[in-house]
């Protein structure tokens, strides 16, 4: 496989995954995109999540993440409150609406994962995950 074919295949896979998940949760109607979804996952997985945690994990610029957080607040998906230890720092958490969306998102992702893995046995899935994670490590820019 040439580099161009690898890049095209990876892009097509990622794009297909994003579109399928977005359609499953009606993301267009909600006004959210893939980065919003990524941020929701980071908030869910990071105890006492702050905007800086999102910046570090997404490798995006602070201003872009600040705008994104503002949008999530406006959509009533998250809330923020001052950290007890540092009042300059805000902890992000889910509202009830955000929690419901996260559950819907996780269900949609599980459904898409099952669809993607049709016709594959566990060793093929494990090999793919190992290969993909190795590729990610090879180009990680932390």
């Amino acid at each position: 496989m040439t580099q161009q074919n690898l890049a095209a295949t990876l892009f097509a896979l990622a794009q297909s995954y994003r579109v399928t998940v977005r359609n499953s949760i009606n993301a267009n109607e909600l006004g959210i995109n893939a980065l919003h979804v990524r941020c929701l996952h980071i908030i869910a997985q990071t105890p006492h999540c702050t905007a800086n945690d999102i910046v570090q994990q997404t490798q995006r610029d602070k201003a872009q993440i600040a705008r994104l957080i503002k949008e999530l607040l406006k959509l009533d998906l998250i809330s923020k409150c001052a950290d007890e230890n540092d009042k300059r720092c805000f902890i992000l958490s889910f509202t009830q609406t955000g929690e419901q969306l996260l559950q819907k998102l996780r269900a949609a992702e599980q459904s898409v994962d099952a669809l993607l893995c049709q016709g594959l046995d566990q060793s093929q899935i494990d090999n793919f995950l190992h290969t993909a994670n190795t590729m990610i490590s090879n180009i990680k820019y932390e």
Side-chain angles (χ1 to χ4, degrees):
M1 180 179 284
T2 67
Q3 289 302 107
Q4 186 176 13
N5 288 336
L6 177 61
T9 301
L10 290 173
F11 181 79
L13 177 61
Q15 184 66 12
S16 296
Y17 187 85
R18 274 195 306 267
V19 167
T20 305
V21 170
R22 283 178 51 82
N23 289 340
S24 296
I25 63 166
N26 297 320
N28 289 336
E29 288 82 26
L30 294 172
I32 62 174
N33 62 35
L35 188 54
H36 290 95
V37 169
R38 177 76 179 113
C39 289
L40 292 174
H41 278 297
I42 292 169
I43 293 167
Q45 296 165 353
T46 307
H48 303 291
C49 185
T50 65
N52 195 46
D53 292 321
I54 296 171
V55 167
Q56 289 175 348
Q57 291 185 47
T58 61
Q59 297 293 310
R60 300 295 177 114
D61 126 325
K62 288 180 184 181
Q64 181 181 16
I65 297 304
R67 285 189 302 273
L68 187 127
I69 289 171
K70 195 174 191 177
E71 292 167 3
L72 293 174
L73 288 165
K74 187 176 178 181
L75 291 168
D76 191 37
L77 297 175
I78 64 169
S79 61
K80 67 178 184 176
C81 64
D83 186 341
E84 294 174 3
N85 300 321
D86 183 356
K87 299 297 182 198
R88 298 168 299 162
C89 192
F90 290 96
I91 304 298
L92 305 171
S93 59
F94 287 101
T95 62
Q96 185 175 0
T97 303
E99 190 63 47
Q100 290 169 349
L101 177 62
L102 182 65
Q103 296 310 316
K104 189 176 180 182
L105 177 61
R106 286 178 172 158
E109 289 171 341
Q110 286 177 346
S111 176
V112 173
D113 288 355
L115 184 62
L116 280 172
C117 294
Q118 282 181 343
L120 300 175
D121 62 37
Q122 192 58 49
S123 67
Q124 290 173 303
I125 296 167
D126 291 343
N127 286 337
F128 171 78
L129 291 173
H130 176 76
T131 301
N133 284 319
T134 299
M135 291 173 148
I136 290 166
S137 292
N138 288 344
I139 61 172
K140 198 119 192 181
Y141 46 83
E142 290 185 290

